[in-house]
Amino acid sequence: MKSKLTAVALAGLVVAGTAAAAIPASAASAQAGPTRCHTADLKAGFATGGDAAPEMGQTAKQTQAFIWFTNQSKRTCTLSGFAGVDMVGTQKTDGTWSLARSSKKPVTMTLGQGDTVDFSITLLPVAKSTPEKEKFVPGEFLVTPPNETTHFTLRWPFGGQILKQDGATHPGTYLNPVGL
């Protein structure tokens, strides 16, 4: 009988200890930190300044374009992972190309009000003389922030064309995570 009473007394102490250590809901939310950024919290665009523009006129190597997200909300939020990027082509043979992701590991970026972060898209440009069926001519980019379902529609401002590899396992055109 003594062991049953000891067990009941210990159980009462554990329950009492747990109740005493509980954190009030208001304090728990204050300690939780920022939540993820939603599409409505952000604005987006292509980085177009001097050295940010991709070298679409050359065809000897890959080049990069950069897309930025700016937190336009009044709260701090986080972005982590890969944006979704679908390129919409201007030729009738282009269609829409959902870009593959690089093997780089994402990091969490914390954005205060007005803070900006970007990500890069690695592109493999081709010559204008490349046959239509082998090239993709970008017109618009549908850009969805990480973990969201609503996208921004951005017009491609740089001209040029990309080697069409929309079905390739390791295409020369792909995207990197936000912040890298």
Side-chain angles (χ1 to χ4, degrees):
M1 185 66 114
K2 187 174 183 179
S3 63
K4 283 187 179 181
L5 288 174
T6 305
V8 170
L10 286 174
L13 286 174
V14 171
V15 171
T18 303
I23 300 172
S26 60
S29 63
Q31 293 176 359
T35 59
R36 71 181 169 89
C37 301
H38 298 284
T39 305
D41 297 326
L42 304 168
K43 58 183 175 180
F46 280 101
T48 57
D51 61 347
E55 299 175 65
M56 296 304 292
Q58 60 81 31
T59 59
K61 62 182 179 171
Q62 291 170 305
T63 187
Q64 290 188 318
F66 295 87
I67 295 176
W68 50 262
F69 292 119
T70 297
N71 179 5
Q72 63 180 3
S73 73
K74 295 187 186 310
R75 67 182 185 88
T76 297
C77 60
T78 62
L79 282 176
S80 180
F82 290 85
V85 177
D86 294 327
M87 296 189 304
V88 180
T90 61
Q91 303 178 119
K92 61 183 174 185
T93 58
D94 286 341
T96 300
W97 178 357
S98 295
L99 295 184
R101 297 173 173 181
S102 73
S103 60
K104 292 183 178 178
K105 300 286 183 213
V107 296
T108 299
M109 304 299 297
T110 301
L111 302 177
Q113 184 180 4
D115 287 348
T116 297
V117 67
D118 65 11
F119 67 94
S120 63
I121 299 174
T122 300
L123 306 161
L124 184 56
V126 295
K128 286 185 180 187
S129 60
T130 303
E132 184 176 314
K133 65 180 183 176
E134 295 176 23
K135 68 181 175 184
F136 186 95
V137 181
E140 293 181 332
F141 279 57
L142 308 179
V143 180
T144 308
N147 304 306
E148 287 292 297
T149 57
T150 306
H151 67 265
F152 295 99
T153 301
L154 306 177
R155 287 204 126 322
W156 177 248
F158 303 113
Q161 46 279 325
I162 300 164
L163 181 60
K164 190 170 188 175
Q165 297 179 312
D166 53 345
T169 305
H170 297 289
T173 296
Y174 56 87
L175 59 110
N176 292 301
V178 172
L180 297 179

